[in-house]
Amino acid sequence: MINYTIIIPHYRSVDTLRRLLSSIPDRNDIQILVIDNNSNLNEDEFKQLPSFVCAEFSMIFLSENRGAGGARNEGLRIAKGKWLIFADSDDFFLAFAFELCDEYLLSKYDIVYFGITSVDSVTFEKNDRYKFNHRYIEKYDESSNETKEILKFRHDVPWGKMIRSSVVFSNNIVFDETRYYNDTMFSTKVALIAKEIHADIRPFYCVTEKQGSLMTHNSKEAILIRLEVHLRKNQLLSRCGKKKYQYSILPFIKHLCPYGIGAVWEGINLGLKYRANFFIGISQKLKLKC
């Protein structure tokens, strides 16, 4: 019986993948799926990876690079676990992470969010990349519907949580195959369907950061892709009666400014295409001041 399926997209980062796999216990109720995005590496490099005796381990090699979203979709296609857990190949699980999962194995929850930490991938110095998502867990109050809703719709990354697989499979939820923010709509759709959630602040997952990663990459193309994803998220939240949790798109327009008026106009046109409220951010700030 597989309780947990761990889905890991991978591209040319065997050293950090080895570190991640070493942080996963070798248990017969765990399925580990590593989906390689056509790294074109020598097979010998993958021989360095830890071997699993009890856990069900599979390495799937894609014939083309479909990005993290496409890789995760391949993982979903063959996932067996009652719970889905996502990890990036340059991150790792913290000690006793799966003992925490075991506490919620038979729970009523559809999503359980856990504490997140963050370090530099090379030096292991602590940084604050995790704080954006971790703050919603810190503010979570079981008795407050407001903090639950904020956590559901603002914590829009797939890692640092366990998700009941039936929520995903019975609603045919998949990842976008965009180069950036492929996980935003997936996390939002799962959150909209989830009936019961919980947050446990105990540390579960460590996010790492390194120069040149997709998270740190900025270009006109990257900003426009991220903007369109957030416009689609805002549109979905509005349709589902969750308009108050929409994100401001003004920062994206601001980030387009260095690329010239043409880039800014492209951003504005995207907003018009999705009938965006360009004043969401301003109204949110005014409410905070009042």
Side-chain angles (χ1 to χ4, degrees), residues 168-183:
V168 174
F169 298 141
S170 62
N171 293 283
N172 298 312
I173 303 173
V174 296
F175 287 84
D176 286 345
E177 298 197 13
T178 54
R179 183 166 171 76
Y180 305 95
Y181 284 20
N182 65 83
D183 45 11

Side-chain angles (χ1 to χ4, degrees), residues 13 19 22 47-48 51 56 67 80 93 101 115 168 172 182 217 222 232 255 272 277 283:
S13 56
R19 180 178 66 193
S22 297
K47 291 177 181 177
Q48 310 169 30
S51 57
E56 185 179 315
K80 301 176 182 177
F93 294 99
C101 291
V168 174
N172 298 312
N182 65 83
H217 180 69
R232 288 195 289 119
H255 292 322
L272 294 172
N277 177 359
S283 61

Side-chain angles (χ1 to χ4, degrees), residues 231 253 262-275 278:
L231 285 165
I253 304 298
V264 172
W265 186 240
E266 281 186 69
I268 291 171
N269 271 334
L270 266 180
L272 294 172
K273 173 185 172 182
Y274 286 93
R275 299 183 179 180
F278 286 88

Side-chain angles (χ1 to χ4, degrees), residues 7 33 60 66 72-80 169:
I7 297 176
L33 302 173
I60 298 104
R66 291 169 51 194
R72 288 172 177 143
N73 287 337
E74 280 299 306
L76 288 175
R77 192 174 58 81
I78 54 175
K80 301 176 182 177
F169 298 141

Side-chain angles (χ1 to χ4, degrees), residues 242-269:
K242 305 294 181 183
K243 194 172 183 178
K244 65 188 290 187
Y245 302 109
Q246 291 179 328
Y247 275 111
S248 169
I249 64 168
L250 294 179
F252 295 97
I253 304 298
K254 179 183 176 183
H255 292 322
L256 286 169
C257 289
Y259 300 96
I261 190 66
V264 172
W265 186 240
E266 281 186 69
I268 291 171
N269 271 334

Side-chain angles (χ1 to χ4, degrees), residues 23 25 93-103 114 202-204:
S23 72
F93 294 99
L94 297 169
F96 309 112
F98 288 85
E99 282 83 346
L100 291 182
C101 291
D102 290 340
E103 291 183 26
F114 294 105
R202 287 178 290 177
F204 170 79

Side-chain angles (χ1 to χ4, degrees), residues 16-258:
T16 58
L17 176 61
R18 186 194 315 119
R19 180 178 66 193
L20 167 62
L21 293 175
S22 297
S23 72
I24 300 172
D26 190 4
R27 293 175 20 177
N28 61 11
D29 67 336
I30 292 177
Q31 177 191 30
I32 305 163
L33 302 173
V34 176
I35 300 90
D36 181 78
N37 250 319
N38 195 26
S39 291
N40 286 322
L41 296 173
N42 190 299
E43 283 186 20
D44 289 341
E45 297 205 40
F46 293 101
K47 291 177 181 177
Q48 310 169 30
L49 299 178
S51 57
F52 291 90
V53 176
C54 299
E56 185 179 315
F57 176 79
S58 299
M59 188 99 193
I60 298 104
F61 294 91
L62 300 183
S63 58
E64 59 179 338
N65 190 323
R66 291 169 51 194
R72 288 172 177 143
N73 287 337
E74 280 299 306
L76 288 175
R77 192 174 58 81
I78 54 175
K80 301 176 182 177
K82 292 180 182 178
W83 295 90
L84 299 171
I85 297 173
F86 296 94
D88 287 345
S89 60
D90 48 357
D91 299 337
F92 56 91
F93 294 99
L94 297 169
F96 309 112
F98 288 85
E99 282 83 346
L100 291 182
C101 291
D102 290 340
E103 291 183 26
Y104 297 98
L105 176 60
L106 302 177
S107 70
K108 64 181 178 180
Y109 304 117
D110 292 322
I111 311 173
V112 181
Y113 301 80
F114 294 105
I116 306 163
T117 62
S118 179
V119 298
D120 182 277
S121 187
V122 178
T123 67
F124 273 74
E125 290 182 18
K126 287 187 176 181
N127 59 40
D128 60 0
R129 181 184 162 189
Y130 75 98
K131 285 187 176 178
F132 183 76
N133 293 291
H134 187 73
R135 63 181 175 176
Y136 303 126
I137 298 167
E138 289 178 319
K139 293 177 180 178
Y140 175 82
D141 179 352
E142 188 78 36
S143 64
S144 166
N145 190 59
E146 179 74 7
T147 63
K148 285 183 180 180
E149 296 270 87
I150 290 172
L151 177 60
K152 285 170 73 173
F153 302 122
R154 292 293 170 85
H155 191 299
D156 56 5
V157 291
W159 37 257
K161 63 182 81 163
M162 53 191 280
I163 301 168
R164 190 177 296 280
S165 60
S166 59
V167 171
V168 174
F169 298 141
S170 62
N171 293 283
N172 298 312
I173 303 173
V174 296
F175 287 84
D176 286 345
E177 298 197 13
T178 54
R179 183 166 171 76
Y180 305 95
Y181 284 20
N182 65 83
D183 45 11
T184 299
M185 291 299 287
F186 174 89
S187 297
T188 305
K189 290 174 182 177
V190 170
L192 282 165
I193 291 163
K195 293 178 181 175
E196 298 282 350
I197 71 161
H198 182 67
D200 187 324
I201 201 166
R202 287 178 290 177
F204 170 79
Y205 187 80
C206 184
V207 180
T208 74
E209 188 169 29
K210 61 182 178 182
Q211 284 298 113
S213 70
L214 284 179
M215 281 297 296
T216 59
H217 180 69
N218 261 337
S219 67
K220 186 185 88 166
E221 177 204 17
I223 296 164
L224 286 170
I225 291 172
R226 290 168 179 149
L227 170 59
E228 184 158 21
V229 170
H230 273 285
L231 285 165
R232 288 195 289 119
K233 174 177 177 174
N234 282 356
Q235 193 176 67
L236 177 61
L237 289 173
S238 181
R239 284 203 309 266
C240 295
K242 305 294 181 183
K243 194 172 183 178
K244 65 188 290 187
Y245 302 109
Q246 291 179 328
Y247 275 111
S248 169
I249 64 168
L250 294 179
F252 295 97
I253 304 298
K254 179 183 176 183
H255 292 322
L256 286 169
C257 289

